[in-house]
Amino acid sequence: MKDGWKNTTAEGLSKVPEVTLIFWIIKIAATTLGETGGDSVSMSMHLGYLVGTGIFAAIFIVAVVFQISAGRFRPFLYWTTIIATTTVGTTLADFADRSLGIGYAGGTSLLLTLLIGSLLVWYSALGSVSVDTVGSPKTEMFYWLTIMISQTLGTALGDWTATTASLGYLGSAAVFSALLVMVIAMYYATGISRTLLFWVAFVLTRPLGAVLGDFLDKPLGAGGLALSRYAASATLLVLIIACILIFPQRMARSAH
């Protein structure tokens, strides 16, 4: 995707990146890392979903505080915060779906309701949910809360399609990839709100990353490649760092 995802009609500092092709590549890698990283702590380290959620929630809160306190856009800080949302989203969704017994369908429905509610409250309070407006602490709070909910929703949705719907990891990845292609087509061929398309694409990248992460580290008998969660997480982290270094990102302009 190209720079058309954003609208730079007004000057102003922003602490989020321009939404370009590299943004989506890093986002998918980050969501995949969130799955393998979250599973590394909760499963490979045998700490469980609740403890894992506590650990990653603490990291998320610290990252958000630093992100909001930062005076300008810092790529590594921004993507660290994104990764924190994906890892806490992974363990939180697994805790709700499995430990609390809500189930994938119930968890997905609840989280979708919370996501829509977050966007509606954000819109009601500030008049827009466009990422172009993310330039103040209040807007950032809404932004990161919405992202955290969307990442948790994506985990539950990915697990639902892969297991309950019996599509498997690759089948689910194909479905979410096809849906993303449809969003791209609507972006170029229709006049549908770019803000709406952004959030739809943002949500869809999370279950895509979730099922890709599961495909990498789940046992062969479960349809995965049985790769080391630690090795997969390290590889994805190196990829993200390389993308940030090789493809410098500019901050988006805030519309005020």
Side-chain angles (χ1 to χ4, degrees):
M1 299 181 191
K2 60 182 183 180
D3 293 353
W5 283 95
K6 57 183 177 57
N7 174 22
T8 56
T9 57
E11 292 186 355
L13 293 178
S14 173
K15 287 181 284 180
V16 299
E18 289 183 314
V19 185
T20 59
L21 175 60
I22 194 63
F23 173 91
W24 294 112
I25 292 174
I26 299 176
K27 171 61 166 59
I28 293 172
T31 58
T32 307
L33 171 59
E35 191 70 19
T36 58
D39 288 349
S40 293
V41 171
S42 62
M43 297 180 184
S44 296
M45 294 182 182
H46 305 291
L47 295 180
Y49 301 126
L50 183 58
V51 173
T53 297
I55 292 172
F56 291 124
I59 295 173
F60 167 64
I61 291 171
V62 171
V64 168
V65 169
F66 275 100
Q67 171 68 22
I68 292 177
S69 300
R72 60 184 177 83
F73 169 57
R74 298 180 182 275
F76 280 102
L77 178 57
Y78 175 85
W79 287 110
T80 295
T81 311
I82 287 288
I83 292 170
T85 66
T86 67
T87 49
V88 72
T90 295
T91 54
L92 180 58
D94 288 342
F95 175 71
D97 296 341
R98 301 168 187 175
S99 298
L100 295 182
I102 295 176
Y104 298 134
T108 299
S109 300
L110 173 62
L111 289 162
L112 179 59
T113 301
L114 290 174
L115 176 61
I116 294 173
S118 177
L119 288 168
L120 288 176
V121 172
W122 180 359
Y123 184 84
S124 176
L126 299 176
S128 174
V129 295
S130 171
V131 294
D132 299 346
T133 65
V134 182
S136 69
K138 186 175 182 179
T139 309
E140 282 193 273
M141 289 296 294
F142 279 115
Y143 178 77
W144 289 110
L145 175 62
T146 302
I147 284 179
M148 195 274 285
I149 296 173
S150 75
Q151 306 284 39
T152 310
L153 166 63
T155 300
L157 182 57
D159 289 341
W160 185 18
T161 57
T163 57
T164 305
S166 302
L167 294 179
Y169 303 123
L170 289 181
S172 296
V175 169
F176 292 120
S177 295
L179 290 173
L180 282 169
V181 170
M182 290 176 60
V183 173
I184 295 172
M186 286 187 286
Y187 167 76
Y188 285 108
T190 73
I192 295 176
S193 166
R194 278 13 184 186
T195 298
L196 174 61
L197 291 177
F198 168 83
W199 284 111
V200 171
F202 197 94
V203 170
L204 287 174
T205 56
R206 177 58 182 127
L208 174 59
V211 294
L212 288 175
D214 283 337
F215 174 67
L216 292 175
D217 64 33
K218 287 298 187 284
L220 295 174
L225 295 179
L227 300 178
S228 164
R229 293 188 178 104
Y230 302 125
S233 298
T235 301
L236 288 163
L237 182 58
V238 169
L239 172 62
I240 292 170
I241 293 173
C243 286
I244 295 173
L245 293 174
I246 296 172
F247 304 100
Q249 294 176 290
R250 296 176 297 177
M251 65 180 181
R253 289 180 182 271
S254 295
H256 295 295

